[in-house]
Amino acid sequence: MLSDTSLHHLDISHIRSSCASCSLRELCLPVGLNEQEVQVLGDVVSSKRKVQRGGYLHRTGTKFQSLFAIRSGFLKTCVLEQDGRQQVTGFHMTGELLGLDAISTDIHTCDAIALEDSEVCEIPFAKLEEISRTIPSLMRHFHKIMSREIVRDHGVMLLLGSMKAEERLASFLLNLSRRFLMRGYSESEFNLRMTREEIGSYLGLKLETVSRAFSKLQDENIITVDNKHIQINDLARLKIKMGNSSCVT
Amino acid sequence: MLSDTSLHHLDISHIRSSCASCSLRELCLPVGLNEQEVQVLGDVVSSKRKVQRGGYLHRTGTKFQSLFAIRSGFLKTCVLEQDGRQQVTGFHMTGELLGLDAISTDIHTCDAIALEDSEVCEIPFAKLEEISRTIPSLMRHFHKIMSREIVRDHGVMLLLGSMKAEERLASFLLNLSRRFLMRGYSESEFNLRMTREEIGSYLGLKLETVSRAFSKLQDENIITVDNKHIQINDLARLKIKMGNSSCVT
DNA sequence: CGAGGCCTTGATGCACCTCAACCGACGTGG
DNA sequence: CCACGTCGGTTGAGGTGCATCAAGGCCTCG
């Protein structure tokens, strides 16, 4: 650690370096930036926000100002129709960027709700666009992130359009597994943050069907389910279950 | 027409002005740009490409270099899995941008196939990024286009995840109707460019189900179907059919 | 005129939805 | 402390919307 005294002078690096010192640097926006560029980005990413479990990060119809990078926690996004129908469009974990949908109209088109206490970095979008003009690699990476979201959505469309219940669940679990692995957690054992109903909404199934699919996979000894605790006993067979489709991010 | 002779000298405006003189200017990338900026963009959009009906504009797995703006014609994009399963992810008409999915990995993640003879403008992506650094409104609009694609995909996910066959078809027809209207065509009468099977793939249904849904809507006098020719007799009731959901682009 | 592509329609089966009962965990208030 | 309600989950029974299989019609093109 640095000496305390140095912080009492003009050293504001502990503020400016919000991105530079972030453990998620390699997952989040700063990918591919050099030290100085990360500093510039860190200046833009001024404030952090906490969202309690069950709380809204943003709501459909509200004005768009900022993107949000997830620093800790777990959120879902969902779209809803007039008739009350609702669908979870994604589950989001650390390092991922929320709010991309709102760029098109400057209005949020979905709700973002925390599934556990979460913390996000607020990234004023106008400023991000501004600095990305002078930092090509930032612009490049931002475009990749948006494009990745499109690819992800196409994967979900494939899932919703052509897979059976069990395949969908297998695909879902493998997706989670991969993302936990990327973040340094176990790929074979984790806790779900969402309910069966939320999983069902995401996968286009009813909660009972999700529950049955869990039970079926457990009966086959492919996974072990204890409420929200999931253990994958046989990754290979799980992959076979889902038809070995293109992996969704 | 200009005199032929002028073309033999240094006048290359007929090349450079490809965007400035394009009738799709208000639908396509140049939205919101001034004359000079459109010229710069037009210089980047050098070449045009023709794709015959049934031909590929790009294939899954090939290297990504350029985005494509549709100048005329009609295309579909589809993703496929190892096991042969395949899904249409979108139908695309004039003014729309193809290839956004490929930005993420520099590899195309879907096939783009012409459903009728089509013509596209090739937009080298590296150059587009470069000039967008000096043309903020171009960058801004490009981001909006990517974001709009994400919103569109979320709409399709909602459709695939929670609608019944008839609702899906109604939603599909209304979407086409709106897009034809935006392009100056009739919103109530048009020809489908795709087969029942392709519609089914897009909507997560089998072709027989699509056919039955068409027949049902016709029996109710909401539409008139003659093979690929569709006439919408009652837009209001068609909207009710789909549950009045958020309109997909 | 025959072949093949595209579409429609009918009969049947099945995967998932719906409805319902029950269980355990948790929190609250008497 | 226990009674009670609530919430999330599991499981069963029965219904249904769509898939599947099959037959036949229309159109185009060689």
Side-chain angles (χ1 to χ4, degrees):
Chain A
M1 305 297 173
L2 297 174
S3 71
D4 262 357
T5 56
S6 69
L7 297 176
H8 293 134
H9 299 290
L10 292 177
D11 184 347
I12 53 167
S13 67
H14 65 293
I15 297 176
R16 294 175 58 225
S17 66
S18 57
C19 282
S21 63
C22 181
S23 63
L24 299 168
R25 213 175 130 169
E26 288 311 313
L27 276 173
C28 191
L29 256 183
V31 170
L33 304 194
N34 65 35
E35 289 304 322
Q36 192 213 326
E37 291 166 343
V38 172
Q39 281 292 344
V40 176
L41 178 59
D43 288 346
V44 163
V45 182
S46 47
S47 65
K48 293 195 187 59
R49 247 177 77 184
K50 286 182 193 296
V51 191
Q52 282 190 332
R53 179 191 160 113
Y56 283 78
L57 176 60
H58 58 70
R59 286 173 192 268
T60 304
T62 58
K63 180 125 180 64
F64 166 69
Q65 304 273 7
S66 302
L67 298 174
F68 299 102
I70 305 174
R71 201 168 165 73
S72 68
F74 202 93
L75 297 94
K76 69 171 176 180
T77 46
C78 45
V79 293
L80 23 80
E81 298 187 59
Q82 288 82 324
D83 58 5
R85 240 185 310 211
Q86 164 173 0
Q87 171 128 0
V88 173
T89 55
F91 298 107
H92 308 277
M93 35 208 285
T94 52
E96 294 177 356
L97 226 49
L98 291 180
L100 297 175
D101 56 279
I103 295 169
S104 70
T105 57
D106 283 337
I107 301 283
H108 285 286
T109 64
C110 64
D111 292 336
I113 301 172
L115 295 180
E116 60 181 36
D117 292 354
S118 303
E119 206 178 353
V120 300
C121 297
E122 184 170 349
I123 308 169
F125 183 62
K127 286 193 187 169
L128 178 65
E129 276 194 325
E130 197 184 314
I131 64 168
S132 76
R133 293 207 283 138
T134 58
I135 310 178
S137 52
L138 175 61
M139 179 164 78
R140 180 143 201 76
H141 188 61
F142 176 63
H143 290 162
K144 281 180 188 290
I145 288 174
M146 292 209 89
S147 175
R148 199 196 302 152
E149 174 69 18
I150 292 171
V151 174
R152 187 187 76 83
D153 291 344
H154 287 174
V156 176
M157 286 164 62
L158 186 64
L159 177 148
L160 291 171
S162 67
M163 288 189 182
K164 294 185 189 297
E166 208 181 327
E167 297 170 327
R168 295 185 197 192
L169 188 63
S171 175
F172 171 72
L173 290 175
L174 286 166
N175 176 7
L176 281 184
S177 163
R178 213 167 54 78
R179 286 155 74 196
F180 280 125
L181 181 63
M182 283 176 61
R183 283 159 182 79
Y185 300 109
S186 167
E187 65 178 330
S188 60
E189 197 173 354
F190 44 82
N191 284 302
L192 299 175
R193 268 74 173 187
M194 68 295 281
T195 65
R196 301 289 189 262
E197 184 166 16
E198 287 163 336
I199 297 172
S201 173
Y202 181 62
L203 298 179
L205 302 168
K206 291 294 155 183
L207 67 95
E208 296 94 329
T209 306
V210 173
S211 180
R212 278 184 245 270
F214 269 125
S215 299
K216 178 120 186 294
L217 288 176
Q218 181 162 33
D219 290 347
E220 301 179 69
N221 276 318
I222 295 175
I223 63 174
T224 305
V225 186
D226 177 16
N227 230 323
K228 304 218 165 181
H229 183 82
I230 303 292
Q231 175 152 3
I232 301 177
N233 303 317
D234 195 333
L235 263 169
R237 275 168 67 213
L238 194 56
K239 281 178 186 159
I240 292 168
K241 277 287 170 192
M242 77 155 175
N244 215 19
S245 89
S246 60
C247 239
V248 172
T249 302
Chain B
M1 307 294 175
L2 298 174
S3 71
D4 261 358
T5 55
S6 70
L7 297 177
H8 294 133
H9 300 289
L10 291 177
D11 184 348
I12 54 168
S13 68
H14 65 294
I15 297 176
R16 292 176 58 225
S17 66
S18 56
C19 283
S21 64
C22 182
S23 63
L24 299 168
R25 211 175 130 169
E26 288 311 312
L27 276 172
C28 192
L29 256 184
V31 170
L33 304 193
N34 65 34
E35 290 304 321
Q36 192 212 328
E37 291 165 344
V38 173
Q39 282 292 346
V40 176
L41 178 59
D43 288 347
V44 164
V45 182
S46 47
S47 65
K48 293 195 187 56
R49 248 176 77 183
K50 287 182 193 296
V51 191
Q52 281 190 332
R53 179 190 158 111
Y56 283 77
L57 175 59
H58 59 70
R59 285 173 192 267
T60 303
T62 58
K63 180 128 180 64
F64 165 69
Q65 304 273 7
S66 303
L67 298 174
F68 300 102
I70 305 174
R71 200 168 165 74
S72 68
F74 202 94
L75 297 93
K76 70 171 175 179
T77 46
C78 47
V79 294
L80 25 78
E81 298 188 60
Q82 289 82 324
D83 58 6
R85 239 183 314 209
Q86 165 174 358
Q87 171 127 359
V88 173
T89 55
F91 297 107
H92 308 277
M93 35 208 286
T94 52
E96 295 177 357
L97 225 50
L98 291 179
L100 297 176
D101 57 280
I103 295 169
S104 70
T105 57
D106 284 336
I107 302 283
H108 285 285
T109 65
C110 65
D111 292 337
I113 301 172
L115 295 180
E116 60 181 35
D117 292 354
S118 303
E119 206 178 354
V120 300
C121 297
E122 184 171 349
I123 308 169
F125 183 61
K127 286 192 187 170
L128 178 65
E129 276 194 327
E130 198 183 314
I131 64 167
S132 75
R133 292 206 283 138
T134 59
I135 310 179
S137 51
L138 176 60
M139 180 164 77
R140 180 142 202 77
H141 188 62
F142 176 63
H143 290 161
K144 280 180 189 290
I145 288 174
M146 292 207 88
S147 175
R148 199 195 302 151
E149 174 69 17
I150 292 172
V151 174
R152 188 187 75 83
D153 290 344
H154 287 174
V156 176
M157 286 164 61
L158 186 64
L159 178 148
L160 291 172
S162 67
M163 287 189 184
K164 295 185 189 297
E166 209 182 325
E167 297 171 327
R168 296 185 196 192
L169 188 64
S171 175
F172 171 72
L173 290 175
L174 286 166
N175 175 9
L176 282 184
S177 164
R178 213 166 55 78
R179 287 155 74 195
F180 281 126
L181 180 63
M182 281 176 62
R183 283 158 181 80
Y185 301 109
S186 168
E187 65 178 330
S188 60
E189 197 173 354
F190 44 83
N191 285 300
L192 299 174
R193 269 73 173 189
M194 70 294 283
T195 66
R196 302 289 190 262
E197 184 166 16
E198 286 162 335
I199 296 173
S201 173
Y202 180 62
L203 298 179
L205 302 168
K206 291 294 155 184
L207 68 95
E208 295 95 328
T209 306
V210 173
S211 180
R212 278 184 245 270
F214 269 125
S215 300
K216 178 120 186 291
L217 288 176
Q218 180 162 36
D219 289 347
E220 301 179 68
N221 277 317
I222 296 175
I223 63 175
T224 305
V225 186
D226 177 16
N227 229 323
K228 304 220 166 181
H229 183 83
I230 304 292
Q231 174 152 3
I232 300 177
N233 303 318
D234 195 334
L235 262 168
R237 274 169 68 214
L238 193 56
K239 281 177 185 160
I240 292 168
K241 276 286 169 194
M242 78 155 175
N244 215 19
S245 91
S246 60
C247 240
V248 173
T249 302

